[in-house]
Amino acid sequence: MSARRVFSTDHKVVGLQYFFLALAAVTIGIVLSLLMRFHLVWPAAHLPFVRGGIMTPEQYLALVTMHGTIMIFFVLTTAPQGAFGNYFLPLQIGAPDMAFPRLNMLSFWLTLAAFLCMLAAFTVPGGAPISGWTAYPPLSGLGEVTGPGEGTGQTIWIIGILIFCVASLLGAINFIATTIDMRAPGMTLMRMPLTVWAWFVTAILSLLAFSVLLAGGILLLLDRSAGTSFFLPAGLVVNGELQGHNGGSPLLWQHLFWFFGHPEVYIAILPGMGVVAHVLANFSRKPVFGYRVMALALCAIGFLGFLVWGHHMFVSGMNPYSGLTFSLLTISIGVPSAIKTFNWLGTLWGGKIQFRTPMLFAIGFVSFFITGGLSGIFLAQPALDTMLHATYYVVGHFHIVMGVAAIFGIFAATYYWFPKMFGRSMDETLGKLHFWLTFIGVYCIFMPMHFLGVAGGIRRYADSTGAKYLAALQPLHEFMTIAAFITAAAQLIFFWNFFRSLKKGAPASANPWNATTLEWITTSPPAPDSFGGQFPRVYRGPYEYSVPGETADFLPQNLAPKGAAHGSGAAGVAATVGIPQRVYLTGAIMLLAGVLMFFMALVSAEIVRKGFSSDWQPLDLPWRILALSTAILLASSFTLAHSRNRLLANDDAGFRHWWGVTAILGLFFLAGLGISWRQLAVAGVGIATNPSSSFFYVFTAAHGIHVLAGIAVLVAVAFRAPRHLTRTTVAGVVSTYWHAINGLWVLLFVFLLLAK
Amino acid sequence: MIRSRKQARGSAAPAFLLALLLTLLVLATVYVFAAHLFPPPPPITSIALLVDRQYDLTLYVAGVAFILAQLGLAYAVFRFRDRGQRAHFTHGNVAMEVVWTTITLVVFLGLAIAGRKAWAEDRYTAAEPGAIQIEVTTTQFVYTFRYPGADNKFGRLDPSLVSAPTGNPLGLDPNDPAGRDDIVVPTLTVPVDHPVELLLRSQDVVHNFFVRELRLQQDSVPGMMVPVHFTANRIGQYDIVCTQLCGLGHNTMHSFLNVVSESGYESFLKRQAAGQ
Ligand code: HEM
Ligand SMILES: [Cu+2]
Ligand SMILES: [Cu+2]
């Protein structure tokens, strides 16, 4: 493996890298869960990988935390989107690559870094954190006093999450720009495969959700390390020690976290929904039933997904009236979910169903989604949530609807696209065996969790000794543990089949499933440039199966209609395409949307924090220097506009001159911020002094970094014209960014004034 | 043609097996729920009873949907297995979409609105006047209950005075006369058929107060005072457990709710007052 292949910008290589990362992560995640399941039933047993042999409660909780984190972030977020999205989105829309290949590569390497960082938490003194994947402060916010793993382990965990956020944001920008700007001629929105729709909507969710988690994570890190009190109230006494925090709100974290957390569960499942519709149509030999409604329902789920986060907080101490609102909104999201189910059934109905392995997994997905969606209807009602919250019922719900359903989506995708990715086929018999065992096994593990939960079995308990009634439920635990071990063993069949087929599988043709979409018109595996230099033109919708009057029972998307003058016959070849210039502007706008979301999260945090506390003090800011800096920044917008005009007028010297002036004004602005920090520091106001100073430092630092990045780009462009962009494009993109960041500052400045 | 016939023959077995498994899934699930194999304990408040009714209603509605959908899936995969036929070509049906969307919307929203009552009675109303106020303090990993004593007033707390080893786990200020008669105990005792208001607070991290028989969970959040109320109608001892991950002893955090007779409650108070 040469370095060029490892550090590749080819979306197919990056996709495979994500895939193998997810495969490694899921292996670790499964081992962690088996350790937990074993401990729950045989608490005194000696276990491998466990320090000291016999598991302590804190080790159990570290496993809970790391299992959840690894599965949700590094498996369910990376495999469906990072792996399959990267590999197949460009192929399915007939694009040569992602819009920003190098950014794509960076996303992957950052994700890998985040993963290694996360794993490092196991190795530090105190071990991995014990606060769950939800990391509620104060447990997660005070350091070692609250428990083992809450020192360095928790810090590393937060840093890992922050890196992951950045990686996901960059990935999301790439996916959105690619979908918007890189579609082949004829590939209208309503001709995109539902997989593409799903990846597209997922990318939008990632962009808006991860920027909020990024903001929340930074605040939590500051609470831990800089002594601020965003989430930590006054008068905390932990382990007999009085803590020096003031006025923070633990619920603020929960709001920020779940504002991310609920969309995140859809980030995990939407790509699976796309794959399932795609595979169901393929192996029913029928068009997707209600294609438009399916695309619309994806959008509706994505949109509603941002309005329901409070259903995780019914019993958190949140206002009970908002509980009812969140309940109604949550129930409403059941409607597009039900629509999807109906349409999957409609796709099967009247079909000619071929039970190939991917199809079996897709059908399994539908069954799990039905089960998990319906248990959601219980949890969505606050009155019922008061008995079911934080019990195994919730664990059953989300494992079935998110964990297992998404994993079945991943399996369906793996079996389906394996021939395309590796040019060989997986073994059907082993694949089917893997399906049957997993389908039965998974229901045996997770159905009983619902029964356990209704009876009052509580999640995140290291053993059942706390209350007498828990011991009576132990037989359920035993059953589930045995089922878990059998199901895990069945995954060995998959691994065997997968790795053996890589080398020994029967060679696959270009289109082994007789499918319609564009990834199947190229060779298996595709050439490095995907379509061998001949880019497709699209003439029809994605699921033209069994069209009456046609002899073939499938019509590829690039098949020209009979008698069309266009194209050279069946292939419908279009001229080679490069990366269009407009992607850079789209990318910049998406980046700005993420940045805006990030700042909106901070602003809402300030509003909540201020409303919640009694320790809010108006801050005497160095207004004069701030006003001056603001004026300088505004002036830089004019100089940049002027510079761009000079460029359009072909006045290169003028362009360079004003371009440089802009960068210098930017530096002056940063200097102004620096001076204002210094004046505050001299007056004895630090970041932890009071909540308004904390927010002031966070706002200015966060904004300053964006200005600094803008200056860096200005300087870089001045010295070296980028390879793929024209000067005009660069000037346009940089101006958009610069003006938006300046506008953002003005808004922040007004906000600071108002908060005074 | 030969290939497709072979494929068609291969479809019968998986179609049958899949349909069979889905049917078994439905039967097993319906059996466990209908036979009440793992029931929650009987409710001991009128609100808990409302919760149970709403649970049953939801179980019926979701149960019917579950049976129809899973069996529909089973039927579809069996009925439309590849037997060499040509698939029916259709892009969908707007009328059907409208019908099933409307039905789901009405049924789901209807459920949520029906469930509003139990929630509203539980959480929208303040405790009845005359309710006994008891403060619940959670700490890693114990519950501490405080009764205001004869003066019906809670004494002032000062976090800097907290010292469990010296017998002041709550940090009661000795200079506040209101606190002199406060009763501080590790279990919760309440009289039967008498409204009770709990004031939940936490000293360190977020914990939870869960009694299955009350069908009541509530987080206790540091920096907040969250009130909940109930009127227990059956004498007995019930488990209080913590459901919010609070640290390494989370699974051991436990106490009892003792619902006692009116006279039993009086003597409990007397005993405690004498012991102060
Ligand atoms: C009809 C649709 C759904 C409804 C009404 C619903 C409702 C709920 C509610 C109310 C909760 C909070 C329960 C509690 O903590 O007390 C919850 C938890 C959860 N749901 Fe769903 N849900 C639905 C679908 C989904 C889907 C599609 C996914 C993922 C793909 C999902 C993943 C989760 C997860 C991960 C949790 C638990 C998070 C945690 O506490 O760690 N849900 N769901
Ligand atoms: Cu949610
Ligand atoms: Cu706890």
Side-chain angles (χ1 to χ4, degrees):
Chain A
M1 279 239 174
S2 67
R4 260 197 67 201
R5 244 192 104 63
V6 174
F7 293 96
S8 172
T9 57
D10 179 347
H11 69 101
K12 298 185 283 300
V13 177
V14 175
L16 288 180
Q17 287 172 326
Y18 268 115
F19 181 84
F20 286 106
L21 170 64
L23 209 57
V26 80
T27 311
I28 297 174
I30 289 178
V31 170
L32 300 186
S33 69
L34 291 180
L35 289 172
M36 287 189 282
R37 289 286 356 151
F38 201 87
H39 174 79
L40 283 173
V41 176
W42 296 286
H46 278 261
L47 290 169
F49 312 114
V50 172
R51 253 185 246 169
I54 295 175
M55 197 185 293
T56 58
E58 61 270 26
Q59 283 171 332
Y60 179 85
L61 292 176
L63 292 180
V64 169
T65 305
M66 297 302 278
H67 165 77
T69 306
I70 288 175
M71 288 301 200
I72 288 176
F73 291 96
F74 295 96
V75 179
L76 298 183
T77 312
T78 56
Q81 186 84 355
F84 293 111
N86 246 312
Y87 201 109
F88 289 102
L89 180 113
L91 287 179
Q92 288 194 330
I93 60 174
D97 201 323
M98 282 292 206
F100 313 110
R102 276 187 289 177
L103 196 66
N104 201 20
M105 181 181 84
L106 181 64
S107 304
F108 167 75
W109 289 100
L110 282 175
T111 309
L112 178 65
F115 184 54
L116 296 177
C117 178
M118 202 52 92
L119 289 183
F122 277 119
T123 65
V124 299
I130 59 171
S131 62
W133 81 286
T134 48
Y136 281 11
L139 181 59
S140 64
L142 286 167
E144 232 148 351
V145 285
T146 60
E150 287 308 307
T152 323
Q154 184 74 62
T155 306
I156 288 185
W157 184 92
I158 298 172
I159 293 172
I161 291 294
L162 294 181
I163 301 175
F164 189 87
C165 287
V166 173
S168 299
L169 289 170
L170 299 181
I173 292 168
N174 222 337
F175 272 72
I176 297 172
T178 307
T179 314
I180 293 181
D181 287 332
M182 307 258 298
R183 281 170 285 129
M187 180 61 84
T188 58
L189 287 180
M190 282 300 155
R191 281 181 182 166
M192 296 196 309
L194 283 171
T195 38
V196 175
W197 270 107
W199 289 318
F200 181 53
V201 175
T202 301
I204 296 173
L205 296 192
S206 299
L207 185 67
L208 303 180
F210 278 106
S211 34
V212 173
L213 183 64
L214 186 66
I218 289 172
L219 299 187
L220 185 57
L221 203 57
L222 290 173
D223 270 6
R224 292 174 58 85
S225 55
T228 54
S229 303
F230 296 106
F231 308 123
L232 303 171
L236 292 176
V237 182
V238 186
N239 215 351
E241 290 172 39
L242 185 62
Q243 307 291 315
H245 289 276
N246 234 320
S249 159
L251 288 193
L252 172 57
W253 166 263
Q254 297 183 23
H255 282 294
L256 290 172
F257 182 84
W258 288 116
F259 189 89
F260 148 79
H262 189 82
E264 164 62 20
V265 306
Y266 286 106
I267 290 171
I269 201 72
L270 291 187
M273 292 181 170
V275 168
V276 164
H278 196 82
V279 168
L280 287 182
N282 192 155
F283 295 99
S284 301
R285 313 307 297 167
K286 263 190 76 201
V288 166
F289 194 88
Y291 169 88
R292 271 168 189 277
V293 181
M294 289 292 254
L296 217 68
L298 280 175
C299 301
I301 290 177
F303 173 73
L304 286 173
F306 279 104
L307 306 178
V308 301
W309 77 90
H311 66 212
H312 298 270
M313 299 172 61
F314 288 141
V315 303
S316 67
M318 180 180 72
N319 178 324
Y321 292 94
S322 31
L324 184 70
T325 315
F326 280 121
S327 161
L328 294 176
L329 286 164
T330 302
I331 287 276
S332 318
I333 211 171
V335 175
S337 309
I339 292 176
K340 302 231 63 132
T341 309
F342 284 125
N343 284 285
W344 290 323
L345 289 176
T347 305
L348 290 168
W349 213 267
K352 177 191 182 196
I353 302 176
Q354 300 164 344
F355 295 93
R356 313 303 294 268
T357 309
M359 182 61 163
L360 288 173
F361 276 99
I363 295 170
F365 178 105
V366 176
S367 172
F368 289 122
F369 195 76
I370 294 168
T371 307
L374 288 171
S375 59
I377 299 300
F378 288 76
L379 297 173
Q381 302 176 43
L384 303 186
D385 196 54
T386 55
M387 70 181 276
L388 298 174
H389 176 71
T391 67
Y392 266 92
Y393 191 95
V394 173
V395 184
H397 161 70
F398 73 73
H399 273 91
I400 289 214
V401 77
M402 167 160 93
V404 177
I407 293 272
F408 267 50
I410 295 171
F411 278 138
T414 308
Y415 283 104
Y416 183 68
W417 280 315
F418 188 93
K420 181 55 61 185
M421 295 190 291
F422 303 110
R424 292 178 183 277
S425 315
M426 285 177 81
D427 186 85
E428 270 288 308
T429 313
L430 288 179
K432 289 200 169 113
L433 185 65
H434 172 223
F435 169 76
W436 296 117
L437 291 175
T438 310
F439 183 69
I440 299 171
V442 155
Y443 264 127
C444 287
I445 305 172
F446 297 110
M447 260 331 227
M449 289 198 182
H450 297 85
F451 314 146
L452 184 59
V454 173
I458 293 156
R459 77 189 274 209
R460 293 168 166 174
Y461 267 22
D463 62 38
S464 307
T465 54
K468 265 217 194 83
Y469 78 86
L470 292 173
L473 299 168
Q474 208 52 11
L476 280 171
H477 275 302
E478 285 163 17
F479 181 83
M480 293 187 289
T481 293
I482 294 168
F485 273 88
I486 295 175
T487 314
Q491 304 318 302
L492 296 176
I493 303 174
F494 169 77
F495 279 92
W496 165 262
N497 192 358
F498 183 90
F499 285 105
R500 201 184 135 81
S501 304
L502 279 183
K503 292 221 183 71
K504 306 226 165 124
S509 63
N511 188 3
W513 312 119
N514 292 337
T516 48
T517 43
L518 295 181
E519 77 269 33
W520 302 109
I521 66 172
T522 181
T523 52
S524 301
D529 72 342
S530 294
F531 292 99
Q534 302 197 311
F535 284 91
R537 173 180 288 279
V538 172
Y539 293 98
R540 53 186 82 240
Y543 302 113
E544 297 293 285
Y545 290 103
S546 304
V547 179
E550 301 281 346
T551 37
D553 79 341
F554 68 104
L555 303 178
Q557 285 197 276
N558 66 330
L559 181 72
K562 281 192 203 104
H566 225 315
S568 53
V573 174
T576 41
V577 288
I579 291 180
Q581 294 289 305
R582 57 178 188 280
V583 299
Y584 298 100
L585 189 58
T586 312
I589 291 173
M590 290 307 135
L591 172 69
L592 289 167
V595 171
L596 185 66
M597 201 66 193
F598 173 84
F599 278 95
M600 271 168 46
L602 290 180
V603 167
S604 337
E606 167 157 352
I607 292 170
V608 171
R609 176 67 176 76
K610 193 174 169 190
F612 180 84
S613 67
S614 50
D615 67 331
W616 192 270
Q617 291 165 19
L619 191 59
D620 196 18
L621 287 172
W623 290 110
R624 252 192 274 147
I625 181 80
L626 284 176
L628 184 64
S629 305
T630 307
I632 293 176
L633 200 61
L634 283 179
S636 78
S637 262
F638 286 99
T639 57
L640 187 62
H642 192 63
S643 164
R644 193 171 167 215
N645 284 339
R646 297 320 312 154
L647 180 70
L648 296 179
N650 273 330
D651 169 9
D652 194 57
F655 160 70
R656 283 169 175 282
H657 177 75
W658 290 106
W659 192 259
V661 170
T662 308
I664 289 168
L665 288 178
L667 284 174
F668 273 114
F669 168 77
L670 288 183
L673 287 189
I675 294 170
S676 70
W677 280 24
R678 172 127 189 91
Q679 290 191 358
L680 278 180
V682 167
V685 180
I687 186 165
T689 306
N690 63 50
S692 34
S693 77
S694 307
F695 275 106
F696 174 75
Y697 279 101
V698 169
F699 278 133
T700 45
H703 189 269
I705 288 173
H706 289 91
V707 173
L708 192 63
I711 297 172
V713 174
L714 284 169
V715 172
V717 169
F719 282 105
R720 192 175 67 105
R723 245 185 307 162
H724 306 291
L725 294 77
T726 63
R727 264 270 174 77
T728 4
T729 308
V730 175
V733 170
V734 173
S735 316
T736 307
Y737 176 83
W738 192 261
H739 296 320
I741 293 294
N742 291 1
L744 186 63
W745 172 258
V746 174
L747 291 179
L748 285 178
F749 188 68
V750 171
F751 181 68
L752 288 173
L753 270 175
L754 290 179
K756 199 172 92 166
Chain B
M1 206 56 229
I2 294 169
R3 199 180 95 89
S4 98
R5 214 179 300 134
K6 198 173 115 220
Q7 224 177 43
R9 231 182 299 123
S11 288
F16 178 74
L17 190 50
L18 207 47
L20 180 72
L21 284 179
L22 289 168
T23 313
L24 285 179
L25 166 72
V26 168
L27 290 177
T29 310
V30 169
Y31 170 71
V32 174
F33 277 108
H36 290 281
L37 287 192
F38 304 97
I44 59 164
T45 66
S46 57
I47 290 175
L49 198 64
L50 278 183
V51 170
D52 274 13
R53 291 226 186 95
Q54 179 63 18
Y55 175 84
D56 287 341
L57 178 65
T58 309
L59 190 61
Y60 290 135
V61 173
V64 169
F66 179 76
I67 295 169
L68 289 180
Q70 299 285 9
L71 291 185
L73 181 62
Y75 175 78
V77 294
F78 187 70
R79 168 77 177 72
F80 301 108
R81 66 185 188 278
D82 182 355
R83 287 173 297 181
Q85 80 276 31
R86 196 175 172 99
H88 172 62
F89 180 81
T90 166
H91 279 290
N93 182 324
V94 177
M96 279 167 82
E97 303 279 357
V98 172
V99 169
W100 62 49
T101 306
T102 319
I103 293 180
T104 335
L105 189 70
V106 170
V107 171
F108 283 5
L109 278 182
L111 257 187
I113 290 166
R116 203 198 77 100
K117 185 151 183 278
W119 177 249
E121 294 220 351
D122 194 9
R123 306 285 171 133
Y124 289 3
T125 53
E128 285 170 52
I132 297 171
Q133 280 202 332
I134 305 164
E135 181 198 75
V136 184
T137 302
T138 55
T139 322
Q140 285 181 330
F141 303 97
V142 288
Y143 293 94
T144 309
F145 302 93
R146 180 159 71 126
Y147 296 72
D151 64 353
N152 237 342
K153 268 196 209 129
F154 289 111
R156 210 178 70 82
L157 298 181
D158 180 346
S160 66
L161 298 176
V162 170
S163 165
T166 62
N168 193 0
L170 299 181
L172 261 173
D173 182 351
N175 297 325
D176 182 4
R180 299 254 161 84
D181 62 350
D182 285 9
I183 298 170
V184 177
V185 284
T187 53
L188 176 60
T189 302
V190 303
V192 69
D193 291 330
H194 198 294
V196 171
E197 177 170 47
L198 302 181
L199 304 169
L200 266 63
R201 58 189 289 276
S202 185
Q203 244 176 25
D204 43 28
V205 303
V206 185
H207 298 268
N208 184 290
F209 173 93
F210 179 32
V211 177
R212 292 182 305 156
E213 290 79 358
L214 300 175
R215 306 285 187 266
L216 176 68
Q217 279 190 58
Q218 176 57 54
D219 280 356
S220 58
V221 186
M224 286 175 80
M225 177 76 89
V226 187
V228 291
H229 56 86
F230 63 88
T231 308
N233 56 24
R234 189 173 313 163
I235 290 175
Q237 186 175 61
Y238 310 100
D239 290 294
I240 302 171
V241 291
C242 175
T243 67
Q244 180 62 56
L245 180 51
C246 56
L248 66 92
H250 172 47
N251 60 313
T252 60
M253 187 155 165
H254 176 259
S255 178
F256 287 109
L257 163 65
N258 299 306
V259 180
V260 298
S261 65
E262 199 72 45
S263 61
Y265 183 67
E266 291 306 323
S267 62
F268 158 80
L269 288 181
K270 277 210 198 83
R271 235 180 312 128
Q272 293 301 333
Q276 289 291 304

